[in-house]
């Protein structure tokens, strides 16, 4: 397992951690300031959201690289199944184009929930396989990989039809596309005691991303009360051990949605705390 105590070469910031993904939250730093602040602290990479990139993908990607960092990924396609998914995949293809312009090879997919007129998730997952396979072909032509992110089961219904890493790996295999993999997020998998076994049993390495935060024992909001690493009950080192023993050597992306706590603080303080916790607890 990698030793991060004096090595930040895997540390990446998902910019949502500074509250930039939702109106009215966070200090509102422009993306350039976020890039500079991460570079100053020795971060190795950033993950952006589409709304902050707009038409500036190329310029932003260049600024990240000029600062000695990497664009680790783009969050995310719109939902591709479920009641609120757009009627076609044009916007999803647009997010793949945006990733290519940013100079990153990863786009995350949060699937969307249960298809209208169906119950459970089985039919939604069948449709998901079809749509992911279609997008994978488009992405492959642009050098982009797709990372399916299973979500904690409480997000079923309107946000996801994928609840476990095991299911996500099965969907990857069913698409038959080598550029489809899984994003493992501590928030969504911390409870899964079969994680290590599932990852070891996968026919090929499929982990395209690893997201860090913590699960607060008394969480106050299922979406916007994620904890800073070390403030909760997730066994961070053990989860990383499972991910790395399955061959993952990529970035550890800190992704903390925290409306009442971290989004209220000075972004500089948040970034400093991340570096400290990453070195000692992750
Ligand atoms: Zn995530």
């Amino acid at each position: 397992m990698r030793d991060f105590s004096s090595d930040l070469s895997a540390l990446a910031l998902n910019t949502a951690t500074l509250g930039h993904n939702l109106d009215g939250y966070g200090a509102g730093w422009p993306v350039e300031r976020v890039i500079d602040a991460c570079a100053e602290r020795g971060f190795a990479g950033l993950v952006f959201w589409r709304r902050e990139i707009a038409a500036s993908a190329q310029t932003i990607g260049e600024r990240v690289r000029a600062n000695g960092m990497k664009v680790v990924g783009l969050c995310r396609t719109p939902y591709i199944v479920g009641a609120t998914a757009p009627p076609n995949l044009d916007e999803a293809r647009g997010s793949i184009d945006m990733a290519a312009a940013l100079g990153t090879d990863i786009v995350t997919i949060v699937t969307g929930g249960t298809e209208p007129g169906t119950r459970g998730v089985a039919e939604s997952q069948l449709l998901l396989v079809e749509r992911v396979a279609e997008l994978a072909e488009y992405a492959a032509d642009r050098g982009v990989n797709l990372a399916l992110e299973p979500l904690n089961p409480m997000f079923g219904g309107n946000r996801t039809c994928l609840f476990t890493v095991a299911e996500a790996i099965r969907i990857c295999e069913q698409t038959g596309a080598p550029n489809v993999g899984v994003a493992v997020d501590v928030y969504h998998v911390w409870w899964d005691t079969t994680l290590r076994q599932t990852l070891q049993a996968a026919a090929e390495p499929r982990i395209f991303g690893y997201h860090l935060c913590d699960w607060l024992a008394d969480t106050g909001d299922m979406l916007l009360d994620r904890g800073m690493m070390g403030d909760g009950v997730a066994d961070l080192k053990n989860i990383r051990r499972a991910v790395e023993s399955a061959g993952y050597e990529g970035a550890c992306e800190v992704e903390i949605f925290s409306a009442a706590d971290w989004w209220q603080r000075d972004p500089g303080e948040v970034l400093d705390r991340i570096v400290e916790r990453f070195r000692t607890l992750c």
Side-chain angles (χ1 to χ4, degrees):
M1 186 158 132
R2 293 175 288 178
D3 175 8
F4 294 147
S5 57
S6 57
D7 174 14
L8 299 184
S9 65
L11 176 60
L13 178 79
N14 183 309
T15 57
T17 301
L18 303 182
H20 292 177
N21 187 42
L22 290 171
D23 288 326
Y25 291 107
W29 278 12
V31 71
E32 293 78 11
R33 190 166 173 193
V34 175
I35 294 169
D36 294 349
C38 285
E40 276 164 29
R41 288 166 176 82
F43 279 69
L46 286 115
V47 175
F48 296 103
W49 289 70
R50 282 190 292 147
R51 60 176 296 172
E52 65 196 328
I53 299 299
S56 318
Q58 212 164 329
T59 323
I60 291 172
E62 280 162 12
R63 189 180 182 108
V64 170
R65 287 182 286 280
N67 276 278
M69 301 183 293
K70 178 182 172 186
V71 183
V72 168
L74 177 67
C75 271
R76 56 181 171 69
T77 67
Y79 295 150
I80 56 177
V81 297
T84 57
N88 59 50
L89 294 177
D90 290 349
E91 198 185 332
R93 280 186 283 267
S95 50
I96 292 166
D97 293 335
M98 185 184 276
L102 263 173
T104 180
D105 60 355
I106 298 286
V107 177
T108 308
I109 297 180
V110 171
T111 67
T114 293
E115 271 291 293
T118 73
R119 292 183 180 276
V121 291
E123 287 165 85
S124 305
Q125 288 185 350
L126 285 177
L127 188 61
L128 180 67
V129 171
E130 252 174 60
R131 294 196 172 155
V132 171
E134 193 181 332
L135 287 176
E137 213 176 303
Y138 185 86
D141 289 342
R142 286 151 187 83
V144 172
N145 302 307
L146 305 176
L148 287 170
E149 184 162 346
L151 305 191
N152 192 304
M154 68 186 176
F155 290 114
N158 61 354
R159 289 179 189 271
T160 192
C161 60
L162 265 191
F163 304 132
T164 62
V165 170
E167 277 184 349
I169 289 174
R170 178 174 55 78
I171 299 286
C172 292
E173 286 165 355
Q174 286 172 351
T175 65
N179 63 327
V180 180
V182 179
V184 177
D185 186 323
V186 163
Y187 193 71
H188 301 304
V189 307
W190 74 273
W191 54 271
D192 185 354
T193 51
T194 66
L195 181 67
R196 187 187 179 93
Q197 197 185 346
T198 297
L199 291 173
Q200 300 267 316
E204 44 195 298
R206 289 272 189 183
I207 307 171
F208 287 1
Y210 178 54
H211 305 173
L212 274 173
C213 65
D214 210 335
W215 179 272
L216 298 176
D218 290 310
T219 185
D221 183 294
M222 69 181 192
L223 185 63
L224 300 181
D225 192 26
R226 289 182 175 216
M228 173 64 70
M229 296 83 77
D231 288 348
V233 295
D235 188 347
L236 297 174
K237 290 220 162 138
N238 203 36
I239 298 171
R240 184 159 70 86
R241 193 171 292 118
V243 166
E244 293 192 0
S245 67
Y248 185 71
E249 291 177 339
C252 301
E253 166 190 339
V254 176
E255 184 185 39
I256 303 171
F257 309 143
S258 173
D261 187 353
W262 296 96
W263 289 356
Q264 303 290 331
R265 305 195 195 196
D266 174 69
E269 182 202 336
V270 179
L271 295 174
D272 288 340
R273 196 64 65 86
I274 287 171
V275 169
E276 173 205 324
R277 298 287 178 91
F278 181 74
R279 284 185 197 281
T280 52
L281 296 169
C282 296

